[in-house]
Amino acid sequence: MKLIIATIKPFKLEEVREAVTAAGVRGMMVTEIKGFGSQSGHTEIYRGAEYAVNFVPKVKLEIVVPDNMADQIVSTIAATAKTEKIGDGKIFVLDVEGAVRVRTGETNDDAL
Amino acid sequence: MKLIIATIKPFKLEEVREAVTAAGVRGMMVTEIKGFGSQSGHTEIYRGAEYAVNFVPKVKLEIVVPDNMADQIVSTIAATAKTEKIGDGKIFVLDVEGAVRVRTGETNDDAL
Amino acid sequence: MKLIIATIKPFKLEEVREAVTAAGVRGMMVTEIKGFGSQSGHTEIYRGAEYAVNFVPKVKLEIVVPDNMADQIVSTIAATAKTEKIGDGKIFVLDVEGAVRVRTGETNDDAL
Amino acid sequence: MKLTKLLPAAAALTALPAMGFAQEAGVDAASDTIFIFNSLLFLIGGFLVFWMAAGFAMLEAGLVRTKNVAMQLTKNVALFSLAAIFYYLIGYNLMYPLGTWSVDGVLSGVWGVGVLEAVGVARDGADDYGYAATASDFFFQLMFCATTASIVSGTLAERIKLWPFLAFTVVLTAVIYPLQASWKWGGGFLDAAGFLDFAGSTVVHSVGGWAALAGLLVLGPRIGKYKDGRVNPIPGSNLTLATLGTFILWLGWFGFNGASQLAMGTVGDVADVSRIFANTNTAAAGGAIAAMIMTQLLYKKVDLTMVLNGALAGLVSITAEPLTPTLGAATIIGAIGGILVVITVPLLDKLKLDDVVGAIPVHLVCGIWGTIAVVFTNGDASLGTQLYSIVVVGIFTFVVSLVVWFILKALVGIRVSEEDEINGLDKAELGMEAYPEFSKG
Amino acid sequence: MKLTKLLPAAAALTALPAMGFAQEAGVDAASDTIFIFNSLLFLIGGFLVFWMAAGFAMLEAGLVRTKNVAMQLTKNVALFSLAAIFYYLIGYNLMYPLGTWSVDGVLSGVWGVGVLEAVGVARDGADDYGYAATASDFFFQLMFCATTASIVSGTLAERIKLWPFLAFTVVLTAVIYPLQASWKWGGGFLDAAGFLDFAGSTVVHSVGGWAALAGLLVLGPRIGKYKDGRVNPIPGSNLTLATLGTFILWLGWFGFNGASQLAMGTVGDVADVSRIFANTNTAAAGGAIAAMIMTQLLYKKVDLTMVLNGALAGLVSITAEPLTPTLGAATIIGAIGGILVVITVPLLDKLKLDDVVGAIPVHLVCGIWGTIAVVFTNGDASLGTQLYSIVVVGIFTFVVSLVVWFILKALVGIRVSEEDEINGLDKAELGMEAYPEFSKG
Amino acid sequence: MKLTKLLPAAAALTALPAMGFAQEAGVDAASDTIFIFNSLLFLIGGFLVFWMAAGFAMLEAGLVRTKNVAMQLTKNVALFSLAAIFYYLIGYNLMYPLGTWSVDGVLSGVWGVGVLEAVGVARDGADDYGYAATASDFFFQLMFCATTASIVSGTLAERIKLWPFLAFTVVLTAVIYPLQASWKWGGGFLDAAGFLDFAGSTVVHSVGGWAALAGLLVLGPRIGKYKDGRVNPIPGSNLTLATLGTFILWLGWFGFNGASQLAMGTVGDVADVSRIFANTNTAAAGGAIAAMIMTQLLYKKVDLTMVLNGALAGLVSITAEPLTPTLGAATIIGAIGGILVVITVPLLDKLKLDDVVGAIPVHLVCGIWGTIAVVFTNGDASLGTQLYSIVVVGIFTFVVSLVVWFILKALVGIRVSEEDEINGLDKAELGMEAYPEFSKG
Ligand SMILES: Nc1ncnc2c1ncn2[C@@H]1O[C@H](COP(=O)(O)OP(=O)(O)O)[C@@H](O)[C@H]1O
Ligand SMILES: Nc1ncnc2c1ncn2[C@@H]1O[C@H](COP(=O)(O)OP(=O)(O)O)[C@@H](O)[C@H]1O
Ligand SMILES: Nc1ncnc2c1ncn2[C@@H]1O[C@H](COP(=O)(O)OP(=O)(O)O)[C@@H](O)[C@H]1O
């Protein structure tokens, strides 16, 4: 199994969820995060003092999928989350050694 | 070392923490997340309009343990978090290549 | 590529961000988490009843870097986040199999 | 208000002979007392209605998404401040010609800023000794003008640009509101026609509603509200604030309706003010309970935002006539308002009219209902005149507002860019977040 | 209130001859002025006590967990609205028989809805010309009834079902509160016995507390509050709201106690109202500071929630007699209230009585204390009568409430399912969250 | 206040003969009415100014970081309570010697706690029948004292220890504030010199500002605010609360300025109170709009926190003379206040003076500006006397405060440890968080 970690723009969440669901994903974990990347770096003014805004709100998806689905899901996310503006996000893939569904005790691909 | 990622029902957090602590875990990272899975899919009504509630509040635990503890901790979590109702959560295991304790610089198993 | 997961004290975030940026990191994901570890365990009193405070606010950084940068970034974080007081945090390193930059479709090291 | 600000003076004076002591020189301590009580009523009423500005701010801040909260707050502080300044500069005299018309019954002939009585004014120097201190009247009337502007900001939230919105506020508070208000409360042609609108279901609330509706048509719905033929609810970020805002408005409404009696220096007047307080309260309660029961019946769950809207609907509904109904009638008038809101909110959505806080159902629909309901409890009211006045005020306000919105749209644009709307107005237009903290560290 | 609503009228009338001019026809402008001042006092007092409804809502919203906030707000809006309607339908006349008893001194003989004076009523037509406008009295009294109901909602928060809770509210506001209140403020047998309870430490606050306690016994503690013989604190979600709520209540209390003088049309009355304002304020301050010092001494840390409870405890403690104490005595009476709260809160936990917001320590315990404390500063009070009345009112309210709670439990159940409680009432019963946003995107 | 609390009595008495009926025995119903109206003015003004305590609490809770919110709330409740108690114990008689000086015009000769009139006092027993009930005056004056203390807490937030802060509050409210206030409002040497400060731009606001500035110099900036020669903004956690706080303060200010007329029992007085309400409102509006335009021009974005500060700046600026300006002049005086704030906030940062909520720009800078501005609209004012008084009060308050802060620093330390500051005062000093929830579960 693979863990796909995708950080995307928050307003793309619903669209991406629908797309990966259509592509066969049955679950995911979603976290509100702050992203730092090339998108950052503009300055704001607060009470007369300038400061740099380094972090941008993003959403992080963590999806575990069977090995054979990984590539397809990565491309689905990449295609759906793209706006072609800076800050669209990244997708990372990690190897997962084991999985358990708490409710049933099923393991690995069955647990997904 | 292994990274155990467990997503559980929020009200089970304290129980699971106690169980894994009893089983030898000495630390963890806890994150509030929204889960998507088979549990979802009911509709709500807001100001007269129906809408689907796709995400359910969950808690995500990330625990790094020495290789030899991994299985036991996974089963401890699985046993403790179980309510046998849909949405109990998942546990994933990933391989960790290195660990450092910031305070002392200790590494790997010593860092946990 | 490697995924560096670092949990640090919240007030160290800005300093660590500056240090790793200076060391060549161009992006990261930051999450507010609660940490459990040896730092915990003091008791508080609320409306006359004692209770244990088990969780401490921490910040979690997730940084994906090319393999050859990993060690240096780990030591940079370790050096910068250190206060030598309990609870300074941990750094974990995991292997990453693939990466995609959503905006451009670039992959792996180019995506970082 | 009962009639125009001039008439109660006359009423008070004619009431004087009934009092049990001589009236040498025409004035005496007792009439001083009336003057003081009336002025005090305006001051208390005025600060209560001022407080409604905070109520709108909290209600709206609670019903928009977090990313637009700071902007919504900014708009609410700014619109109140602009209303204060422009009602002073133009509106007050436009609204109260005191008989000096340039177009009879339609357009005031008094131009220029509001002028208060001299410091330490005596009986003889008072502008209207039989009424109340001018400054107390100005203070009170100003708050009504600001209320009208507050209504608009909620409907158009989350996508309108700051400065064009404020430009509209200036036109609304300097011209649109005072001009149409002069037709009734300034003693103009609607007043002459026998139109009854005690505290402004039409003059204030539906006017705010019409102006909001015109803006809404020009502005369009928020991105994502209506997608693929479905309504996607966009829940407000903070229902505690929305509830606080509703309680604040409810409190302020005692001043809004109560002080619109314009007098409390006689037994009859203070008893009437008291009736109004009791009726206003029970109408709000009726509206809240009706909305609660309705949502339970229709949706099997109570909808708090509808209950809050229901309370406000009850308040708007009783505003045109808070004096003559019995407690029971007032409760029912309010309850019907609450039902109307529960029905109208989804109806507007069907029409793809995206009113963020429900201001149109509450202020426009119930404003109209309340104005009509006068005929059920006040024998002086004629349904024809009420309808005629609703239509006249509605057409005027809607058309002029529409023109102003179109001009603003043509000149500078009134809507933020899609990207700014997605990122939130707080970041895009203010560079400031309402709840900016990331890490509690 | 000082006595019953009838008596001040008499007091005012007897005061009139002292005034320096003739009294032909028995009435004159000066007595008009008294009528107006008294009515105005009720209106101001009434809107201040209305504002307490918002205070309870904010306090409770701040002291429950996020997952129950929207429900707590819903309950607070609904209970106030129901109180308004049922006090009108039944309660008002049940509470004020005006001498017409069906069981002498115990049960009113006047049945039917509250009826206000006619519009524009004149001296002769006034229900009680020596007192105040009926509507002003109704408006003010209604708010006390609603306050009683507000007290209950906090104690039972986070696990009671919405509709059964509201059903109890109806019984409480239509019957329980007005019936026992008639014994004192309606001129019933407790009043005849010489019971003194100026603004309702017993009649309002302890009644709310007893009703809450009865409900608590039937309902049980929240899941997880008492586990393995230990108390697990469940911190409130938002102490800013709790503080705001406390300030609102503090403000409202000036109306609660001050207007319970029931008159301000004479030098003596207005000076008394002023005393009451000053004493009420200083009692709250005493309660807050005492709680602050106590928690610092006992726990080495100040506990903000206790300081807030302490201020409210001071307010409840002074409510039975805010007039006669000196400023110093009032401060001490309030401070003892603050100390009582700090002691009672953990005591209740020992008894596994899970009172979410501390309403029982604040309203019941300090309500009793305040009623007893009357004897220290008011020579007319007898300890025996005070205790007797506390017991009578307590037993009546507690037993009737218990019966009602049991009936509700038997009929429909009063507690949500374990799963609903864990998921939060907002999701389970309303399908709506107070702070629903996930991603700020 | 207009003059001292003694003088309006005289003014009222001299006004009486003008009334159209006999004055046997020197007193009559009409003068009763004046007494009642004046007392009522203090009660209404007093509860409005009380409400400002909630405003400061919300404003400050909104402008500090989450980790210090519970502490800021605790300080605000505690400082108000302490002010109430110590003003009663010492301050009131220190401030109002009523002619009995131990050092003439400088130090009161009356020591001891505040004493109210007897219960049910009659004309003859009244302390000052020509003025108002003593308790109403005490209640009102106390609120001003508490306001002064509230100002200090905002500036020093997020790093000062709880108990030393409260110790300073005791000195400020028991001695510093009342002593200097006696020089003007107690009829002391500044009053004799012709100093004019109607409601306390200097006596209240700049005194709070000077005390805060002294504390700030001893305390130093928050960790991280000034780093490497740069200013690092530390955004407040909740701008909705800050906005709510501002609206509350704005509302309270009608009482603050309006009731400082000290009388409303005559046509002239009530008309003056009305002028004051209208002017106070328009000055706030002017301040808000000026700050909005300024930040748009300077920074190309509107800064909500500056708009809020601007409204408060307008209020402080008009406080020294809210009566004599025309509406236009009041708007301009307020607007200049708003501009001053926008200029001064970054200026303080240049000096590394880390004023968390902007209390020094708002209360000190605009307090001085407002005191000077009196000369533009009040012919009785002399620029020299105004400046002289500003300097005298400023030096006294600043020096004494500095000494007290240094003593506290030497004795117990006034600043929390670096670690506690980083972790937040809530956890370190209270062991309690304002928003403690982690998981909504
Ligand atoms: N493929 C997946 N990858 C990551 N997390 C998942 C995945 N599937 C489910 N989850 C997480 O597990 C939670 C429970 O899953 P769900 O399918 O609802 O119930 P159950 O595990 O009982 O079948 C989800 O809310 C989500 O947080
Ligand atoms: N085994 C672990 N797995 C994951 N995170 C851990 C683990 N142990 C500790 N942590 C994280 O590191 C933080 C610091 O650890 P702690 O044991 O408190 O202090 P120290 O690292 O100084 O010994 C914890 O708050 C937690 O977030
Ligand atoms: N090296 C990295 N490791 C982890 N997350 C990253 C990394 N670089 C970027 N990110 C995440 O991706 C987001 C988008 O990256 P950014 O560089 O801003 O834009 P783009 O991907 O369009 O070049 C960031 O906000 C951050 O959340």
Side-chain angles (χ1 to χ4, degrees), chain D residues 57 82 105 157 207 214 242 266 391 420 437:
Chain D
L82 287 173
V207 164
T266 65
V391 169
D420 284 357
E437 288 196 24

Side-chain angles (χ1 to χ4, degrees), chain D residues 148-167:
Chain D
T148 311
S150 295
I151 293 166
V152 181
S153 70
T155 298
L156 308 180
E158 303 206 276
R159 72 272 204 205
I160 197 166
K161 282 189 197 167
L162 176 59
W163 289 101
F165 169 75
L166 295 181

Side-chain angles (χ1 to χ4, degrees), chain F residues 150-379:
Chain F
S150 295
I151 293 166
V152 181
S153 70
T155 298
L156 308 179
E158 304 206 276
R159 72 268 205 210
I160 197 166
K161 281 189 199 168
L162 176 60
W163 290 101
F165 169 75
L166 294 181
F168 181 83
T169 300
V170 168
V171 180
L172 181 68
T173 58
V175 181
I176 300 176
Y177 168 77
L179 183 52
Q180 61 81 31
S182 76
W183 302 342
K184 166 65 196 149
W185 293 340
F189 73 100
L190 290 180
D191 189 45
F195 176 40
L196 295 185
D197 190 8
F198 196 93
S201 285
T202 287
V203 177
V204 175
H205 293 281
S206 78
V207 164
W210 288 117
L213 181 62
L216 187 51
L217 291 173
V218 181
L219 189 64
R222 287 168 293 175
I223 294 172
K225 179 69 188 281
Y226 307 110
K227 220 167 46 184
D228 321 327
R230 291 187 56 256
V231 180
N232 295 296
I234 302 180
S237 53
N238 192 321
L239 297 191
T240 314
L241 285 179
T243 306
L244 176 63
T246 302
F247 272 118
I248 293 176
L249 289 166
W250 192 328
L251 173 58
W253 230 288
F254 297 126
F256 199 95
N257 287 357
S260 289
Q261 172 75 8
L262 304 184
M264 69 164 179
T266 65
V267 167
D269 278 323
V270 82
D272 283 358
V273 173
S274 303
R275 276 186 74 98
I276 294 167
F277 270 59
N279 279 335
T280 299
N281 189 61
T282 205
I289 296 297
M292 188 166 78
I293 293 173
M294 281 287 287
T295 52
Q296 177 72 37
L297 293 180
L298 287 178
Y299 309 125
K300 311 284 168 259
K301 298 211 172 184
V302 169
D303 185 324
L304 172 58
T305 68
M306 288 289 205
V307 175
L308 301 178
N309 277 175
L312 300 177
L315 289 163
V316 173
S317 303
I318 202 67
T319 292
E321 185 49 276
L323 177 57
T324 51
T326 60
L327 284 170
T331 311
I332 292 167
I333 290 168
I336 293 173
I339 292 170
L340 282 173
V341 155
V342 176
I343 294 170
T344 328
V345 164
L347 225 70
L348 279 185
D349 272 337
K350 286 238 168 64
L351 300 171
K352 295 203 200 309
L353 292 172
D354 180 21
D355 176 356
V356 177
V357 304
I360 292 172
V362 167
H363 298 278
L364 180 52
V365 175
C366 294
I368 292 173
W369 154 241
T371 307
I372 293 170
V374 179
V375 302
F376 300 129
T377 66
N378 186 330

